[in-house]
Amino acid sequence: MPVIAVVVLIVASMLPGQDAAARPSFAEWLALVRTEALARGIRPEVVDAALADVTEPLPVVIERDRTQAETILPLEKYVARVLKPKTVKSAREMFAKHRTLLERVGARYGVSPRIIVGVWGLESNFGKFSGVRPTVAALATLAYDPRRSAFFRGELFDALDILNRGDIDVAHMRGSWAGAMGQVQFMPSSYLKFAEDFDGDGRRDIWSSPADIFASIANYLKGHGWTAGQPWGREVTVSRAAARAIAADVGRRAGTCQATRDMTVVQPVQAWTKLGVRLPGGAALPASLPDAAMVSGASKHFLVYGNYDALLEYNCAHSYAISVGLLADRIPNTNDDRRRTR
């Protein structure tokens, strides 16, 4: 039997739920990881470098995993916290600074440059903070921990694959406590699928290359269904009749993202108009708008279109997706971008 098959069988016997006393020590488990990594074709020197300082689980990672917030801020409070004047100012400045590059990326992938900046801003504060945890050590900790071991074990081997390809070295492979990496906060599996080498230097550098960072965000959104020329959504006002219909319709959508279950089904703009949905200020909805679903907070309502689902794939929370869209909308349009975002 091939070595990799033997290792897989051994690890499969250590699934979550087994008696803790039967689990191997971290050192024994790590030895199996090393063996499987070599069997997968990871170069020995890469494996040695990646695991050299991984000697025990990181307590801070387990603590963060166990103390994730049980509740999310209400939509309106989250948006108010995120879209502070300072953040909007930074978004506009970063768009102006990188405008030529952003428009090249937008043209290549068919994704609004302003949306790219919106995602970048929320994920890493425009590159100011992308995490300081060593990715391999964090993923090894979570892969050894039985709570979500299968998922993080796969991410650990994907991280080793990235190192093996030479896109980054161990010292610079850092990110969040959960293993999300770089200024785009990709998990290793997403990196392997969507990271781009837009600057052509032979490496997909989501840690420090603006070209690769912007292209990777755009490629991720495109890969999750972003359609060029379509809007993400817009704020609207609703009548009492519309509010009752929305409340009755929520939860009828299906999808892998939990947030989609807190949306209505998609309806033509004429249906929303008939219900009494209007633009802020009372103007009628443009008849040319695409079919839309409704997302509602306590006091705010948004009609959202197909591209909104791509934002939810980046982070499955309405507060996040709405904030990205609104931040993007507060960056002044350019002539080249106007047709793609409205």
Side-chain angles (χ1 to χ4, degrees), residues 163-294:
L163 292 170
N164 199 52
R165 295 172 185 231
D167 285 323
I168 192 73
D169 59 30
V170 175
H172 293 94
M173 182 184 261
R174 292 178 175 271
S176 75
W177 64 267
M181 306 181 303
Q183 295 187 35
V184 302
Q185 290 293 279
F186 278 178
M187 293 300 290
S189 57
S190 291
Y191 177 98
L192 292 174
K193 290 181 181 178
F194 299 109
E196 293 283 271
D197 175 23
F198 196 81
D199 62 14
D201 69 351
R203 298 186 303 118
R204 297 182 291 174
D205 182 2
I206 61 172
W207 292 267
S208 61
S209 166
D212 293 358
I213 289 162
F214 300 153
S216 297
I217 291 171
N219 193 42
Y220 186 97
L221 293 174
K222 179 181 178 181
H224 285 89
W226 187 278
T227 301
Q230 296 295 317
W232 69 270
R234 65 179 63 227
E235 186 173 358
V236 293
T237 60
V238 303
S239 65
R240 291 183 179 179
R244 289 192 295 269
I246 291 165
D249 201 28
V250 164
R252 289 171 53 191
R253 281 177 50 126
T256 57
C257 173
Q258 178 65 36
T260 61
R261 299 173 192 173
D262 298 323
M263 298 164 61
T264 66
V265 295
V266 175
Q267 297 188 89
V269 65
Q270 293 84 355
W272 293 114
T273 297
K274 186 176 180 180
L275 281 171
V277 176
R278 297 288 184 267
L279 296 179
L285 298 173
S288 60
L289 289 180
D291 295 352
M294 181 76 77

Side-chain angles (χ1 to χ4, degrees), residues 72-125:
I72 300 174
L73 284 175
L75 174 62
E76 292 82 358
K77 288 187 177 180
Y78 183 94
V79 170
R81 174 178 291 187
V82 170
L83 299 187
K84 293 180 179 179
K86 181 179 179 180
T87 303
V88 175
K89 181 174 182 287
S90 294
R92 291 172 174 171
E93 291 173 347
M94 291 298 102
F95 180 84
K97 177 180 179 179
H98 298 287
R99 174 175 169 177
T100 299
L101 173 59
L102 283 161
E103 290 182 347
R104 283 179 53 215
V105 170
R108 171 84 64 86
Y109 296 92
V111 175
S112 162
R114 297 183 305 145
I115 286 288
I116 295 171
V117 172
V119 171
W120 183 41
L122 263 67
E123 291 298 331
S124 65
N125 193 16

